[in-house]
Amino acid sequence: MATAQEIVTILEFDPKDAERVARRPQKPLEIVEYNKEWPAKFADVESIIRGALGNRVVLLQHVGSTSVPGLAAKDIIDIDLEVADPADEDSYVPDLKTAGFQLLFREPKWYNHRFFHLEDPYTNLHVFGPGCPEAARHRMFRDWLREHEDDRQLYAESKREAASLSLAANEGTMEYTYRKEPVVRDILRRMFEAFLNSPAGA
């Protein structure tokens, strides 16, 4: 389990450290209104993953914007999967591939992260090890946005603005992410402060 200090200390992502395995066709950058079908889509993918890996699934969670009711988002299901050892790819990657997932890249220096794609429903699958601080932050951010309407609205506005600017500049998803990062960090700051002042973060 991640400690409170590990959770509030962000390990910065460096794209140069990513080991690219494959590429996928990119969906158009579009922010859509919340779709009540997203939880069902997650449940479908969850069933696929659990069917493929069985008890090798340590934790499996719907995260990202499609996991927050009422939040506008890209129409992409984000899932965090924790396995015993992400570096031991032979223990889970072949079965995920058989189930339809494609390994796109690995990041050994960034939480031992592996990133997979499923085409239908269009899914980002993030694989981490047990108790990963980044996965814990994903769940906390999701829950914070579910519970705080003001930050949920602020985040939705930042996503729409970032998407609009990136589309106008003919940019991709990475640039879109950078454009909304200041708002994300602002929300995280409030979330971390509340966490550290709670019994869970003490």
Side-chain angles (χ1 to χ4, degrees), residues 59-124:
L59 188 68
L60 187 62
Q61 293 273 313
H62 188 189
V63 295
S65 294
T66 60
S67 69
V68 180
L71 179 60
K74 300 192 302 294
D75 187 16
I76 300 173
I77 304 299
D78 280 290
I79 297 176
D80 279 355
L81 165 66
E82 293 184 10
V83 299
D85 180 7
D88 184 12
E89 294 184 5
D90 288 344
S91 70
Y92 67 96
V93 172
D95 289 325
L96 286 177
K97 287 184 175 179
T98 299
F101 289 89
Q102 180 184 25
L103 175 62
L104 298 183
F105 59 83
R106 58 178 68 90
E107 297 174 286
K109 295 181 180 180
W110 191 74
Y111 302 108
N112 230 345
H113 175 237
R114 267 64 176 170
F115 182 78
F116 293 78
H117 165 67
L118 181 69
E119 184 62 27
D120 187 23
Y122 200 95
T123 299
N124 293 335

Side-chain angles (χ1 to χ4, degrees), residues 2-33:
T3 66
Q5 191 57 46
E6 287 173 332
I7 290 172
V8 301
T9 302
I10 296 176
L11 178 60
E12 297 297 342
F13 162 76
D14 187 344
K16 296 192 298 294
D17 290 333
E19 299 174 6
R20 175 70 63 177
V21 177
R23 295 185 182 276
R24 64 178 174 184
Q26 289 296 310
K27 291 190 71 170
L29 179 54
E30 181 184 13
I31 304 299
V32 300
E33 294 302 318

